[in-house]
Amino acid sequence: MKITRNTVAKTEIKKLIHSSEVALSHTEIQAALNDLCDRVTIYRVLDRLVEEGDVHRIVNVDGVIKYAECHDCEKQHHHNHVHFSCEKCKSVTCLEDVEPTFKLPQQYQVKEVNFTLSGLCPKCS
């Protein structure tokens, strides 16, 4: 059994990501924390949360890494869903009910899937 450390920074970052309807970038998390911790601590906490399976990384169409809470990963940890990146408000949203499909040659092994669609979200349409 792996022991996980809970720090004030980790607790606050988890709360922030949990309460957000959209994926958040490191910069957005840092701004929301109001100098609770430095940027390096935030990176370390985010890496730990990804490793522990609490959040997942999303690379949006601009190459910015954002973080979102994992849902329904208790039974089987997977992130094979689509992410939607809004071109206007720059929000990134997990679309849990949309599972991408693809077919690769036999010699390829997929370890991670990152499907990001771009366009206008319902708020900006």
Side-chain angles (χ1 to χ4, degrees):
M1 181 176 182
K2 191 174 186 177
I3 298 174
T4 60
R5 262 183 1 179
N6 283 323
T7 62
V8 173
K10 182 179 176 185
T11 301
E12 291 303 311
I13 290 170
K14 277 180 75 168
K15 268 197 257 181
L16 182 62
I17 291 172
H18 174 75
S19 65
S20 180
E21 292 181 7
V22 296
L24 300 171
S25 69
H26 177 278
T27 304
E28 292 165 329
I29 292 167
Q30 187 173 8
L33 291 177
N34 295 321
D35 296 325
L36 173 71
C37 53
D38 62 27
R39 64 181 187 81
V40 174
T41 300
I42 295 169
Y43 277 119
R44 287 183 182 145
V45 168
L46 290 170
D47 284 344
R48 192 170 345 130
L49 290 173
V50 169
E51 184 180 311
E52 292 171 0
D54 291 327
V55 301
H56 65 280
R57 271 187 194 103
I58 303 160
V59 180
N60 76 5
V61 294
D62 298 330
V64 175
I65 297 173
K66 297 209 173 197
Y67 299 86
E69 184 175 48
C70 291
H71 298 285
D72 300 325
C73 290
E74 295 83 29
K75 297 174 190 146
Q76 180 182 356
H77 196 83
H78 65 87
H79 299 143
N80 297 345
H81 57 264
V82 171
H83 302 104
F84 189 88
S85 179
C86 181
E87 295 172 351
K88 187 172 181 181
C89 71
K90 304 298 182 194
S91 66
V92 175
T93 308
C94 294
L95 302 177
E96 303 288 345
D97 297 336
V98 180
E99 189 171 321
T101 60
F102 52 90
K103 189 173 182 177
L104 292 173
Q106 283 184 324
Q107 60 269 31
Y108 291 90
Q109 288 185 350
V110 176
K111 291 188 177 186
E112 188 175 334
V113 176
N114 185 11
F115 276 92
T116 304
L117 304 172
S118 68
L120 295 176
C121 71
K123 293 177 187 175
C124 296
S125 295

